[in-house]
Amino acid sequence: MRIWLSVLAVTVLSWLLKASAPLIVAHHKLPASVIRMTALTAPVLLAGLIVTELGGQEIDWTQLAGVGVAGSLGVLKVPMLVAVAGGIVATALIRLSVG
């Protein structure tokens, strides 16, 4: 339940940040670097929440490896369903090989 509340909070915060920008800068054009940086805010916060939730009391490195594989596939523009499946398969294979 806590993770869903965190995701909801990040979503609302992202919407507020995106909605407040036009109100604040009104008729000013923002530099491209600022636009790129603010576009990455929500994914970075969500990644932090995922790693924190996976960490919990004791870090399961196989889960972190699976999330890393899924994230890497996402960066390579693989469809999301395939990226998630790749992360699941990587986690399962690591757990099978380690025992």
Side-chain angles (χ1 to χ4, degrees):
M1 180 67 178
R2 185 178 69 179
I3 187 70
W4 291 112
L5 291 175
S6 300
V7 169
L8 180 64
V10 169
T11 302
V12 170
L13 182 63
S14 176
W15 287 343
L16 289 174
L17 284 172
K18 289 178 182 180
S20 65
L23 296 175
I24 293 170
V25 295
H27 301 287
H28 302 288
K29 180 103 170 124
L30 292 175
S33 60
V34 173
I35 293 172
R36 283 193 310 267
M37 185 176 61
T38 55
L40 292 175
T41 303
V44 167
L45 288 174
L46 186 58
L49 285 171
I50 290 170
V51 170
T52 302
E53 185 64 28
L54 286 175
Q57 297 286 342
E58 187 176 315
I59 295 177
D60 183 3
W61 65 272
T62 58
Q63 285 181 341
L64 290 178
V67 170
V69 167
S72 299
L73 290 173
V75 168
L76 295 173
K77 305 287 187 197
V78 173
M80 185 57 70
L81 186 60
V82 176
V84 171
I88 292 169
V89 168
T91 301
L93 290 174
I94 292 170
R95 287 182 179 176
L96 281 175
S97 66
V98 171

